[in-house]
Amino acid sequence: MADTPVQAESAPADAPLEGGTYEILRNRLASHGQELRERLEQLNVARKDVFGSLDSQLVSTERISTENNCVPRDIAPVGETILFGYNVFIGLRATTTPADVFSAYRWQDAALSPCPLELIHDERFEADFANLYRYYRHTTFARFARRGPHLFMVFRVGQGADDIKTFKWLIRDGTLSYLDNRSDHELVYPPQHGFEWQRATHDMHRPGPCPHISIEDRVFVETLGGDLTIKVEDNTASGQGIFSEPVENPDQTLDDAEVLYALVGDLVLLRIRPYQEKAFRHIVYNAKIRQAVRIDSIQEACVLLPEGHGLIFPRGYYLQSGQHKQFDQAIEGMTYEACVSSPNGEDSLYCFHNRLTGEYVLLAYNLIAQRVAVPILCHGFSLFEDGTLLYFRASDEPQKHHAIQVWRTPFTGPDFLRPARQDSYLYKIGNRDIVRCMAECTELLNLLGRDESYANLYLDLTRKAQALRDAWFWLGREETFNLAEPLDQIRQAAASAVEEYEKVTRARQASAEQIGRVAGQVQELVGSIDYYHLDDIGAFVKLLAGIRAGRGAVVGLRDLRYADPARIDPLEAQLAEHGQKLSQLCVE
């Protein structure tokens, strides 16, 4: 039977449902989601069996020794050799040689062993190296930097991160050829943000009693009245919003604050500096779930995750779904260095580097699981063709012995081939396409886990399930565990839930309005007690009768569908308290 795209069916009417139709549909969606999750797990196991799997795992800890006590700064792989760079106090020695700053180790049979420093033996380099230390008294080795086929040895000759001198080498067939020491300008970094900041203009101002700035009519910002406020409605009659925090100068106008923004899918990134404040505040607003979170770490660097999943920055990540995390580690002053992807696109390794301290932060993002692993903080790392990762953490005190951790990772090079079962149907589909499909299915499952505050939840579920069916022709195959079946069930249940959800929303709104009316009556009744002259029995009788009627109305609220007990309980307690006090006064 030929593999042909399966045409999407129109959502049929569900069988007649009794009782809470909406609740039944919600339960069905949860059940279909669990079925899809189980089949995805089966597909993932089969995929790894066909293409092989290299999960990140600690293999061992190697220990190397240097001739002198030193503070290590970085390591760099060149073929099967590792260059180890460090700083050491030479004492009364008149000159500094490359052997005082570098040592070499052979990486072979999953072990490190010292080897001669022949890799960088070059007369021109040695002369340039000696002149560097002769003319710059405070020279220190900073790091290695790889740019294409070139390796840069970076030395700091001043206090600033840009006060550097470099030696440029060509990497070819596991060897190094010295080029020059005049290529400092070539040591450039990629763009630190995956988007462009745009400045809010005066045309975006909305006047009124509580004016604000409209950011593309998606979110509204103001820094008036003593606080910075993020609103989700274009309502200048009210100063209330979903996010608020105090500003230093309360007496500022709408023009005084500096506001910049960027749009990334459903995310609105805000860069705001209130009047007379030195630092910018950075806020990420999610239009889908109407959530605003302050994340100042995006100021330093913020790049986009693959497939439009969201943002990643030195201290964490933020996904389009609203899932986010900021790590507790003190990570500051980071520059985005590079991203390394696994061959199948499932994993991406983002590298951030502090140019002053030499510290690296490595963040690994998994496309299918849609989460970032625990960050790796180190002072130098090397990644080999077979995915082996070596890294170390330097001590503040000079030492002779240094521990280097060895990890197995999926970040293999382009020339590394994994054995695969070519007779499998999954091999014909391709590992990368399977990974992308599984990632999109995970997005669908994340939507299923959303609460009802998510805007257009069931419409998005319907569209996403249909888009999956249209994009991948092989979903109905037995070899892929017939993912089409639970996807169709999710689409049909979600389509049915759209109308039911509207009914539930109307019922909840009606219940909320009824509770609001009764609450107003209760407050009016309680407030009138202070104005009564309680000097005859008639006044007590009238008030007690009113309280009794009010309690009856409040108790009746509990019979409303989707009534909120948190609003009803205080009303009933308030009436009971005043009824008890009036009864006691009446008896007295």
Side-chain angles (χ1 to χ4, degrees), residues 120-140:
I120 59 174
H121 177 64
D122 183 279
E123 292 183 357
R124 290 193 302 121
F125 165 67
E126 292 173 358
D128 292 341
F129 183 92
N131 289 332
L132 174 67
Y133 274 84
R134 180 180 298 115
Y135 297 122
Y136 295 93
R137 294 181 54 194
H138 301 291
T139 297
T140 57

Side-chain angles (χ1 to χ4, degrees), residues 336-343 346-351 362-365 381 383-384 409-413:
Y336 172 60
E337 180 80 16
C339 175
V340 180
S341 297
S342 61
E346 179 181 354
D347 297 279
S348 299
L349 184 67
Y350 293 86
C351 172
L362 306 181
L363 298 176
Y365 178 74
F381 72 96
L383 197 58
F384 287 87
T409 75
F411 304 107
T412 56

Side-chain angles (χ1 to χ4, degrees), residues 198-207 210-224 229-236 252-261 268 270-273:
Q198 303 180 56
R199 188 173 298 275
T201 63
H202 189 76
D203 296 339
M204 300 178 177
H205 290 200
R206 299 288 186 266
C210 298
H212 53 230
I213 300 173
S214 172
I215 306 298
E216 304 284 350
D217 291 329
R218 299 175 69 173
V219 67
F220 308 91
V221 180
E222 53 95 343
T223 55
L224 309 177
T229 302
I230 306 297
K231 304 179 185 177
V232 296
E233 296 180 358
D234 193 3
N235 178 14
T236 57
Q252 56 185 291
T253 66
L254 204 59
D255 292 312
D256 292 333
E258 190 174 356
V259 179
L260 297 94
Y261 68 95
V268 181
L270 300 171
R271 176 175 165 86
I272 304 170
R273 181 165 62 183

Side-chain angles (χ1 to χ4, degrees), residues 257-529:
E258 190 174 356
V259 179
L260 297 94
Y261 68 95
L263 305 180
V264 181
D266 292 322
L267 306 182
V268 181
L269 281 59
L270 300 171
R271 176 175 165 86
I272 304 170
R273 181 165 62 183
Y275 181 56
Q276 291 184 336
E277 293 189 16
K278 295 182 179 179
F280 279 93
R281 310 184 189 194
H282 294 77
I283 298 170
V284 177
Y285 169 72
N286 192 317
K288 275 291 185 183
I289 61 176
R290 295 192 167 193
Q291 175 196 63
V293 181
R294 181 168 174 178
I295 307 177
D296 287 334
S297 183
I298 68 176
Q299 176 178 1
E300 301 169 351
C302 181
V303 292
L304 306 184
L305 289 170
E307 304 295 332
H309 280 196
L311 314 169
I312 190 165
F313 40 91
R315 289 194 61 180
Y317 63 96
Y318 192 108
L319 303 184
Q320 294 281 351
S321 63
Q323 179 184 348
H324 64 278
K325 185 176 181 63
Q326 296 190 64
F327 300 109
D328 295 333
Q329 287 91 339
I331 302 171
E332 297 179 354
M334 291 293 170
T335 300
Y336 172 60
E337 180 80 16
C339 175
V340 180
S341 297
S342 61
N344 62 6
E346 179 181 354
D347 297 279
S348 299
L349 184 67
Y350 293 86
C351 172
F352 299 90
H353 178 239
N354 188 311
R355 297 167 63 191
L356 287 176
T357 65
E359 192 171 31
Y360 290 91
V361 176
L362 306 181
L363 298 176
Y365 178 74
N366 185 274
L367 196 70
I368 296 177
Q370 297 186 12
R371 63 171 177 263
V372 174
V374 176
I376 295 176
L377 276 69
C378 59
H379 286 85
F381 72 96
S382 289
L383 197 58
F384 287 87
E385 186 74 16
D386 62 354
T388 299
L389 171 68
L390 278 66
Y391 71 83
F392 68 89
R393 282 194 61 82
S395 173
D396 293 335
E397 298 295 328
Q399 296 179 353
K400 281 188 176 183
H401 308 290
H402 314 278
I404 296 182
Q405 287 198 347
V406 181
W407 284 69
R408 182 184 67 186
T409 75
F411 304 107
T412 56
D415 298 330
F416 181 79
L417 296 178
R418 299 185 194 174
R421 290 172 39 201
Q422 300 185 15
D423 59 340
S424 169
Y425 183 76
L426 297 184
Y427 183 83
K428 298 177 182 178
I429 298 173
N431 197 4
R432 183 175 286 271
D433 282 349
I434 296 175
V435 166
R436 289 181 58 197
C437 177
M438 294 181 65
E440 293 180 20
C441 288
T442 301
E443 292 180 30
L444 181 68
L445 292 173
N446 289 338
L447 285 179
L448 280 173
R450 282 283 171 197
D451 60 24
E452 296 157 356
S453 63
Y454 182 96
N456 299 323
L457 171 63
Y458 300 107
L459 284 174
D460 284 352
L461 281 172
T462 305
R463 293 168 183 161
K464 189 66 179 178
Q466 185 62 56
L468 277 163
R469 295 288 278 116
D470 294 341
W472 311 104
F473 66 89
W474 42 265
L475 290 176
R477 299 276 304 204
E478 292 184 3
E479 294 89 341
T480 59
F481 302 93
N482 194 9
L483 297 179
E485 183 178 4
L487 284 172
D488 286 341
Q489 293 170 339
I490 289 173
R491 176 176 55 82
Q492 294 166 10
S496 301
V498 171
E499 183 177 353
E500 291 299 323
Y501 179 61
E502 292 176 355
K503 295 177 183 178
V504 170
T505 301
R506 289 194 294 269
R508 285 177 173 166
Q509 185 176 359
S511 297
E513 291 175 354
Q514 179 65 19
I515 294 174
R517 283 195 295 270
V518 172
Q521 295 169 2
V522 169
Q523 297 307 319
E524 183 179 355
L525 174 63
V526 171
S528 67
I529 294 177

